Amino acid sequence: MPVIPPPAPTLPAALLCDMDGTLVDTEHQWLDAVAGFLREQGLAATDEVLADFAGAPVDDAARRLVRGYGVRCDVTRTAARLDRDFTARVAAGVTVQPGALRLLDRARALGVPAALVTASERHVADLVLRTLGAHRFALSVTSGEAPRGKPHPDPYLAAAAGLGVDPADCLAVEDTPTGAAAALAAGCRLLAVPSVPGIAAGPRTAVVASLEDVDLADFPFARPA
């Protein structure tokens, strides 16, 4: 009986990439900004506490701090303080995650459009795009540019709509449970490169230690039945 080779992996219609912690090592800078604010308020900034803020948009983080931790600022001032601190850290320089540019360039070579889908504000994303290269992305969706932010699916749905593709045909790349929840709720397949605990492999989720371990041409992408 002849041996039938396995079918070649199917390429995704689009690559939808988170930014902080996924493409650039800024998740720790964000958590450092939250930790600094907590300490200024006389509150503990343990790893367990900070994990709850990984991947969170600034406004959501501010609401959690005010309502859940009783900080002595209102939501608006808390958000402004976090945004100012995080932006300053990003403006000082960011480090691209290993394998990130290779993944983006591979997608481009294969004809797979990429979108940046981030919980960061537009001005922060634009700073990072100077390092990543805006030419590597067909579009970007930042905080406030979809009706709801992560962990809701709206940012991923907006990115897919902007590219004219079905979310179920897209591969999302994320590093936090918050972002993973958003991508999966949108119907995307998920490639997770965790920066914090909480993402498990599953029928639509592949987990890798580094983007260096991924070749998009060989990634086993197939639309769920």
Side-chain angles (χ1 to χ4, degrees):
M1 181 179 295
V3 176
I4 301 175
T10 302
L11 290 173
L15 189 67
L16 311 181
C17 297
D18 173 57
M19 184 179 79
D20 299 304
T22 301
L23 298 180
V24 288
D25 189 18
T26 48
E27 193 64 48
H28 294 297
Q29 290 169 300
W30 161 243
L31 294 179
D32 286 346
V34 175
F37 181 81
L38 283 166
R39 294 187 186 109
E40 287 177 4
Q41 298 289 315
L43 300 168
T46 65
D47 289 344
E48 183 179 3
V49 168
L50 294 176
D52 189 45
F53 294 92
V58 168
D59 288 344
D60 286 355
R63 281 190 287 270
R64 292 182 203 176
L65 287 165
V66 172
R67 297 170 185 173
Y69 293 85
V71 301
R72 299 185 299 275
C73 293
D74 61 25
V75 172
T76 300
R77 287 187 296 166
T78 298
R81 170 70 174 77
L82 292 173
D83 180 58
R84 184 170 62 250
D85 189 0
F86 179 50
T87 301
R89 293 171 187 270
V90 172
V94 299
T95 300
V96 179
Q97 296 284 42
L101 297 185
R102 184 173 69 87
L103 176 67
L104 292 168
D105 289 341
R106 185 67 166 142
R108 193 177 187 194
L110 292 168
V112 177
L116 191 70
V117 186
T118 177
S120 285
E121 303 292 320
R122 168 56 63 184
H123 58 272
V124 174
D126 286 344
L127 285 173
V128 173
L129 282 170
R130 295 178 190 174
T131 298
L132 291 174
H135 66 282
R136 291 186 166 96
F137 300 92
L139 59 84
S140 56
V141 178
T142 71
S143 179
E145 295 176 355
R148 300 171 297 176
K150 301 175 186 181
H152 299 289
D154 304 33
Y156 280 104
L157 295 175
L163 293 173
V165 295
D166 189 327
D169 293 331
C170 295
L171 180 64
V173 190
E174 276 283 358
D175 72 306
T176 67
T178 299
L184 292 172
C188 303
R189 295 294 296 274
L190 175 64
L191 172 62
V193 193
S195 61
V196 294
I199 304 177
R204 289 192 290 131
T205 302
V207 180
V208 296
S210 168
L211 292 179
E212 289 186 305
D213 299 333
V214 179
D215 185 338
L216 195 60
D218 295 330
F219 189 78
F221 181 91
R223 182 171 178 162

